[in-house]
Amino acid sequence: NVVALNRYTGETVWTSKGFGEQSAYCSPVLVEHNKTRLVVTMTATSVIGIDADTGEFYWREEQLQSNKIHANTPVYDNGIVYISSTSSREGKSGLLALKLSDDGKSVEQLFRNEKFKNLMGGIIILNGTIYGSEYRKKNWYSVNAQTGEEKLINSDFGGGVIIYADGLFYCYSEDGEVALVKMTPDSFEIISKFAVPLG
């Protein structure tokens, strides 16, 4: 299910059966939590945690998405792993927060918000707040990173990709616009924007 390769030689370091599912679209992320190094990634119906040094499979939490895409890489912040994807008819989807145990070898659900549907635009966590847009809609949200409570902060700029640098957000909408944005838990202020003609 997951393999680790030596980046200089290409030799196999370890292989892990994980949960035995097909991989999803996302890239894995390396999580350094207390004294444990984990590889956290998505498979067809799961988010899984694997020991980064040995490949030992530690934990799995169900996360569903109708097309089994899971394009967003999990995000780690302050002992919590956040996973964002869109809806599933069976539930167990949306924005999921998993609190890692002290040794990182198990997780417990902190919250799940099935109203927040972000398939591939990514999320940013800043000062206890999650920022991101709704898939294929012009809605941008701030979400409390401890409770999962969401707040609509903009519904004019198209949803899409988000990154953060130098104190500001850079948003690339599915409508073909790039905007430099100042966001707070209560506001979405566009400083400037431009169109990408061939985007």
Side-chain angles (χ1 to χ4, degrees):
N1 190 205
V2 181
V3 299
L5 305 177
N6 182 306
R7 67 180 173 138
Y8 299 107
T9 66
E11 292 179 7
T12 300
V13 178
W14 52 252
T15 63
S16 173
K17 291 183 179 179
F19 190 63
E21 292 187 300
Q22 288 184 331
S23 177
Y25 285 26
C26 75
S27 298
V29 65
L30 175 66
V31 169
E32 299 192 56
H33 175 72
N34 296 331
K35 295 181 180 180
T36 304
R37 287 166 23 101
L38 294 165
V39 170
V40 178
T41 193
M42 304 293 299
T43 60
T45 66
S46 312
V47 53
I48 59 175
I50 296 171
D51 189 292
D53 299 313
T54 67
E56 183 180 353
F57 178 59
Y58 285 144
W59 50 262
R60 175 218 182 220
E61 191 75 17
E62 195 169 27
Q63 176 76 350
L64 305 178
Q65 193 274 326
S66 296
N67 298 321
K68 300 180 179 178
I69 290 174
H70 297 302
N72 288 324
T73 294
V75 178
Y76 172 81
D77 183 62
N78 198 28
I80 303 169
V81 175
Y82 297 90
I83 300 95
S84 178
S85 54
T86 56
S87 58
S88 163
R89 294 179 209 88
E90 303 154 63
K92 293 189 178 180
S93 59
L95 179 63
L96 172 64
L98 299 175
K99 184 174 177 59
L100 289 167
S101 61
D102 287 342
D103 62 5
K105 296 181 180 182
S106 63
V107 292
E108 62 177 337
Q109 183 175 308
L110 181 64
F111 67 77
R112 183 185 291 277
N113 180 335
E114 296 197 3
K115 295 178 185 175
F116 185 83
K117 300 177 177 72
N118 181 305
L119 179 64
M120 59 180 66
I123 57 173
I124 298 292
I125 302 172
L126 181 66
N127 300 325
T129 301
I130 300 164
Y131 297 94
S133 67
E134 187 171 0
Y135 182 56
R136 292 189 171 168
K137 293 193 177 178
K138 293 188 174 187
N139 294 332
W140 289 82
Y141 291 92
S142 66
V143 181
N144 184 300
Q146 287 295 318
T147 66
E149 182 179 356
E150 87 280 353
K151 181 172 188 175
L152 180 65
I153 55 174
N154 183 278
S155 58
D156 297 320
F157 186 75
V161 177
I162 182 174
I163 60 172
Y164 175 83
D166 299 325
L168 294 171
F169 294 88
Y170 297 73
C171 303
Y172 184 15
S173 83
E174 293 173 354
D175 296 331
E177 285 188 305
V178 174
L180 183 64
V181 183
K182 181 179 180 182
M183 284 190 227
T184 72
D186 300 308
S187 66
F188 184 103
E189 176 190 344
I190 296 177
I191 297 169
S192 60
K193 64 180 179 177
F194 63 89
V196 182
L198 300 177

